[in-house]
Amino acid sequence: VHLEESGGGLVQAGGSLRLSCEASTTVYIFYVMRWYRQAPGKQRELVATIRNGENTNYPDSVKGRFTISRDYAKNTLYLQMNSLKPEDTGVYYCNAIQARPLGSPSDIEYWGQGTQVTVSS
């Protein structure tokens, strides 16, 4: 399984970006998908979660500004980011977890390679 992010770039504060994460397989196999970000010199931070049933969760830092969604027909996870702030700058990673396949000892976790988001003040 391969995850590929796109949509990052340079944007001014207050602007918007939509990140995409295209999976090489149907996203039905993932019971949870997430977006993380990592700023220079900081730990990777969870920014959005979507679970089966399309239940979503966000940390307070992005709640009301970011929206996670997925398109099953396109095998793609999205992150709509509005009202961007300089502190949103970082590399954004797509993450997906597949429930334990038959014969496997555990769930399988996948990561994309990341896409850079830079918000200028």
Side-chain angles (χ1 to χ4, degrees):
V1 174
H2 179 70
L3 303 176
E4 184 164 356
E5 301 96 335
S6 62
L10 174 64
V11 63
Q12 288 189 330
S16 298
L17 283 174
R18 188 177 79 156
L19 305 184
S20 299
C21 170
E22 185 173 1
S24 60
T25 185
T26 174
V27 295
Y28 277 108
I29 69 170
F30 305 123
Y31 69 88
V32 60
M33 299 186 78
R34 297 183 173 109
W35 286 98
Y36 287 81
R37 69 185 177 195
Q38 188 166 21
K42 294 188 177 181
Q43 289 188 333
R44 194 168 293 190
E45 173 191 18
L46 175 64
V47 296
T49 301
I50 188 166
R51 299 178 181 276
N52 283 350
E54 307 315 286
N55 295 315
T56 59
N57 290 98
Y58 308 91
D60 289 343
S61 58
V62 307
K63 194 174 293 183
R65 300 189 298 121
F66 289 12
T67 302
I68 187 172
S69 62
R70 53 186 169 180
D71 186 326
Y72 291 95
K74 296 182 178 180
N75 298 330
T76 300
L77 178 73
Y78 299 102
L79 184 68
Q80 177 67 45
M81 305 186 294
N82 299 327
S83 302
L84 283 162
K85 304 175 181 180
E87 51 263 43
D88 294 318
T89 294
V91 179
Y92 282 69
Y93 298 91
C94 173
N95 171 270
I97 302 178
Q98 178 185 358
R100 182 178 67 88
L102 188 65
S104 172
S106 62
D107 294 348
I108 302 176
E109 186 172 28
Y110 303 95
W111 290 91
Q113 83 290 347
T115 186
Q116 176 70 45
V117 171
T118 303
V119 184
S120 63
S121 56

